[in-house]
Amino acid sequence: MTLALVLLLGAALISMAAPRMLGPLAATAVPPGILLAGWLGSLAGALFFGVSAVVTLAWPDHAPAEAAVEAVVQCLSVVFHAVQPWIIETLAVIGALALLAMTVRAVILGRRYAREQVRLLDYHRDVVSIVARSREDDVMWLAHPMPMAYSVAGRPGFVVATDGLSQCLSGSEREAVLAHERAHLRGSHHLIVTACDILAAVLPAVPLFAAAPSAVKTLVELTADQHAARATSTATVCSALTVVSASALPQPAGALGLSNETSLRLLKLRISGRTRCPKVSYATAAALSMAMPVATALVVLAATSAAVCLTPTLA
Ligand SMILES: [Zn+2]
């Protein structure tokens, strides 16, 4: 039960603290890819440790690593060992039922989202194929005077752009816009955003899951901007973004475009520009987001255990 409590406390800490800690960092010089890794690590951590807590509770006898954790929180473990087995069994059954209900809900919502997404994308692809003036590689060009571009996920995904891009932007600005959209396709950003939407629909009361869709949508835009800045230059992306965001053409549902959160994106481009981080830094950000709350939970329980040891009636 001690290990289950550490895991549950860790999952709760991630769920409560991650949005508060990661959210404000979007407007700082921290590279957006690192923040995105932090959000994804937190989401994975909350799910992993929450599920692990239930599995540990239902584990017959001592779960792996239980002995090591009990050694750290020895006095508290003595208290837990005094708990009647039927109480632990009841908690395990309640946890398992809650987990089953969440899994069923996630599967139902996931299938519904996937069906709707496929229907929407197929319809969109058909309509754009008919009305497109021409197709160059992965870009379908529409005869429209306003500058606009967006990417549509699929196998393969594609970019939709208007002739207004060529008319209102310079050649390098147009390349920046296309590099931004291709970064969405290469980074599987549509899939990441959809997964966050499903998690938020399954567990809307969990602060981390509720905050993730909006934060992650912003971060994928900032990440795609950085890719575009590396392909061209920061100044080119800023000027392209300013022109395209002023065109105010609506973007279809399920697409990722260039015209959202303009002021934040211009600020981020100015302060973090084309910063390229080593791949290991993304893995580190994700791992720290997962591990730090559980380590904190262990420290809190160790301190509580020490207090229990010092209590004369229990020592
Ligand atoms: Zn975009």
Side-chain angles (χ1 to χ4, degrees):
M1 185 173 177
T2 315
L3 178 60
L5 190 64
V6 170
L7 295 170
L8 198 61
L9 199 56
L13 269 177
I14 298 177
S15 305
M16 305 291 284
R20 290 200 174 95
M21 292 174 73
L22 292 171
L25 294 178
T28 67
V30 180
I34 297 288
L35 290 176
L36 188 57
W39 274 93
L40 298 181
S42 298
L43 290 166
L47 286 173
F48 176 74
F49 292 123
V51 171
S52 298
V54 176
V55 171
T56 305
L57 213 52
W59 200 274
D61 204 16
H62 270 44
E66 180 100 45
V69 171
E70 285 191 348
V72 178
V73 288
Q74 212 166 9
C75 291
L76 209 56
S77 298
V78 171
V79 177
F80 289 149
H81 283 165
V83 175
Q84 293 294 317
W86 69 266
I87 297 178
I88 296 175
E89 284 162 14
T90 307
L91 288 174
V93 170
I94 293 170
L97 287 175
L99 208 58
L100 182 67
M102 280 189 296
T103 307
V104 169
R105 191 167 156 75
V107 169
I108 292 171
L109 285 173
R111 286 169 66 98
R112 193 183 300 162
Y113 262 74
R115 261 201 309 270
E116 180 62 17
Q117 197 83 348
V118 167
R119 190 190 64 77
L120 201 69
L121 293 182
D122 285 348
Y123 176 73
H124 193 86
R125 189 185 294 267
D126 291 346
V127 170
V128 171
S129 301
I130 293 167
V131 300
R133 172 182 61 74
S134 66
R135 177 169 188 157
E136 292 169 20
D137 299 325
D138 58 344
V139 185
M140 294 200 189
W141 289 97
L142 301 179
H144 194 290
M146 300 285 270
M148 183 191 66
Y150 58 84
S151 55
V152 181
R155 293 179 187 161
F158 60 96
V159 176
V160 178
T162 61
D163 287 345
L165 274 188
S166 303
Q167 291 154 11
C168 302
L169 303 180
S170 67
S172 57
E173 287 169 340
R174 193 184 87 147
E175 281 314 304
V177 172
L178 296 181
H180 172 103
E181 300 307 334
R182 286 173 178 140
H184 282 318
L185 296 176
R186 271 201 310 274
S188 303
H189 290 171
H190 304 79
L191 188 63
I192 292 171
V193 167
T194 302
C196 290
D197 283 337
I198 293 172
L199 279 177
V202 173
L203 291 166
V206 177
L208 173 65
F209 295 155
S214 162
V216 167
K217 272 171 203 160
T218 299
L219 287 172
V220 297
E221 294 303 331
L222 299 176
T223 307
D225 284 344
Q226 273 210 325
H227 280 277
R230 283 187 213 120
T232 55
S233 72
T234 302
T236 306
V237 179
C238 286
S239 58
L241 184 55
T242 306
V243 174
V244 175
S245 61
S247 80
L249 276 179
Q251 284 167 8
L256 289 174
L258 193 80
S259 57
N260 305 320
E261 309 243 29
T262 310
S263 52
L264 173 64
R265 292 168 62 184
L266 289 172
L267 170 73
K268 195 75 177 179
L269 279 165
R270 270 199 299 273
I271 57 180
S272 72
R274 301 149 56 113
T275 313
R276 188 188 288 275
C277 301
K279 280 185 181 159
V280 70
S281 58
Y282 300 108
T284 306
L288 282 177
S289 305
M290 283 181 79
M292 270 175 60
V294 176
T296 308
L298 191 58
V299 169
V300 168
L301 283 182
T304 311
S305 180
V308 168
C309 283
L310 294 172
T311 305
T313 51
L314 293 170

